[in-house]
Amino acid sequence: MGERRRFPASARLLALAVAMVLQAAAVVLVLGEASDGGAMLVGPRQLEKFVDELPDMPRLRGYGVTEGGALVAGNLTIGMYDTSWKFHRDLPATRVFAYGTSKETATVPGPTIEAMRGVPTHVTWANHLPARHFLPWDPTLTTAVAPGGRGVPTVVHLHGGVQQSSSDGHSLAWFTSGFAATGPRFSPPPYTYPNRQPPGNLWYHDHAMGLTRVNILAGLMGAYRVASPAEEGPMNLPRGEAFDRNLVLFDRDFRAADGALFMNRTGNNPGVHPQWNPEYFGAVVVVNGKAWPYLRVRRRRYRFRILNASNARFFRLSLSAGLRFVHVASDSVYLARPVATERFVVAPSEIADVVVDFAESAAGAAVVLSDDAPAPYPGDPGEKAETIAVMKFVVEGAAEDPDTSTVPATLMPHYPRPDAREAATARHITMYEYTRAGTDEPTHLYLNARSYMDPVTETPKEGTSEVWEVINLTDDNHPLHVHLAVFAVLEQRSLRRVDEFRDCMKRRNDARACGVDRHLAGGRRHVVPRQERGWKNVFKVRPSAVTRILVRFKPLTDAASPEESRFPFDVTTGPGYVYHCHILDHEDNEMMRPMKIVR
Ligand SMILES: *[C@@H]1O[C@H](CO)[C@@H](O)[C@H](O)[C@H]1NC(C)=O
Ligand SMILES: *[C@@H]1O[C@H](CO)[C@@H](O)[C@H](O)[C@H]1NC(C)=O
Ligand SMILES: *[C@@H]1O[C@H](CO)[C@@H](O)[C@H](O)[C@H]1NC(C)=O
Ligand SMILES: *[C@@H]1O[C@H](CO)[C@@H](O)[C@H](O)[C@H]1NC(C)=O
Ligand SMILES: [Cu+2]
């Protein structure tokens, strides 16, 4: 991307920068001694695959049931603990930060929260973490810092959740152990999740400013489901704890000597950011907290809700033995009709919800789920990525009870179809990457050439939809995530004469003035995979292309309910919402912007 660009710093940023430089000086002194030059890491060949059984994380019910059978709001307290976790039979226990209802029961990933549509879940998130982080957070980023080293800042975002911004886990709403220190946008507990949204798959994870990548890497993430009685009856998908499973995937590096989580303490541009690296990739693939696990399955249908919780790794998944995936939902919303695929890509933080029928394979078969996506994705044309195993299914005999589950031809066909004509306004959102002069090494990434701390520029009106034209001027695929809203992809098209357009954008940062429509005319149109054409909350924004999305700033309702223009809470109060890239290493380096919803 050529030269490094500068933008006027606000007074606030300047003050922050001064504070950070002081912090940095102190921390570099401490970290200077710890060199990773000679760290020996565990590679795929050192650990025997398929020796640990796939765990099912503890399930917590997000609602209560009265003696009369009525459903009432649930009240959970979930802590964050400094503890250890066995990622593999042959690895020593690894230090982690984990969610759980107690230190003894905390897991990586954390418990799966099972909420019921229309019944609120209140969660008191309690930080029990120590004074300092054990991973190299880079103090030169705009980062949450507790004064005087008073604990590791954390805050929880429910990804895909439709909740008031005071419960949304704003990155500046962080808090440390015992709330000893709190961020400038802190809201007191508990957080309230109304669950008044369509049934589907969500996840919760840390979202503290500048620390999201290290806090999630340390283990702070978990699955969350919103269930609804409308899913049962005619839908009749595989259900029950045995046959309806969450698979939380991520990649990690471990030090061979002691099994410690490894993150390089030397940044790609150490003169600018001593520790920050643009993308974290690990050699070990972990599913539900176990490296390359196995699961015994019966010859019947299973439902897998697959969440990619990697910092930066995209997974392109396929099954051996000729088995297919039947997609029933994408991110948090059901598809209208099932879509069968042999292979699909999940970006970080994207969720694929699939049914696999093991009756299509022989008893005794070993079915391997593999990944062959290049990292970083999409990589160079022609680059051949290594195929890596993710986990193995060992197919046993038929179920004792016959498999009565089905995948109906229509799932939830009653959500509104995306229609660009209803958009109240259109905006351009441009992704920029900045590199150090004379090198190709990125220093930071911005949206619309603005830092996260710059004043809000996106102020959508509640009850409207907007077309966002997301322009990727970087070399990577950036998964875009918008809080509160759902969006649908309208089209994705490559820019022609992209160098000319990029040069103009670097000078003017104004897509219209740089003739974006002229550069799109005749540009190659990219097919959006069928399973990604519904309402989503993460989408892979292709490089050198413009992705047009319809963003909905009103509740998603089904045909049986009247269209609602208002959310069931006040969206205009509280710290506000954000939109950002979900490569965590980018999000932490300000590829995130505030968003203020108005009425
Ligand atoms: C949760 O707390 C609310 C009050 O805040 C109460 O109405 C509800 O009954 C509680 N739920 C359970 C399951 O105890
Ligand atoms: C850490 O990063 C530095 C600088 O990029 C590199 O020289 C070193 O090999 C890396 N260490 C490991 C173990 O990957
Ligand atoms: C998971 O997400 C990361 C980061 O967006 C991405 O690089 C990786 O390919 C994804 N993996 C899968 C299996 O989708
Ligand atoms: C973003 O655009 C750059 C060029 O402008 C391209 O090289 C890169 O592949 C794009 N990333 C994605 C994911 O499309
Ligand atoms: Cu990104």
Side-chain angles (χ1 to χ4, degrees), residues 19-69:
M20 286 189 310
V21 168
L22 292 177
Q23 278 281 342
V27 173
V28 167
L29 278 179
V30 175
L31 298 171
E33 306 156 0
S35 157
D36 293 311
M40 295 290 290
L41 303 180
V42 171
R45 272 167 216 88
Q46 277 107 326
L47 283 182
E48 194 177 333
K49 295 202 172 74
F50 317 133
V51 296
D52 291 284
E53 187 164 11
L54 179 86
D56 196 44
M57 306 336 284
R59 299 192 188 203
L60 299 179
R61 207 168 61 184
Y63 53 92
V65 185
T66 64
E67 277 179 27

Side-chain angles (χ1 to χ4, degrees), residues 378 472-478 498 502 541-545:
N472 166 23
L473 290 182
T474 79
D475 285 340
D476 294 327
N477 202 323
H478 300 274
V498 65
R502 196 189 295 129
V541 176
R542 179 183 275 281
S544 308

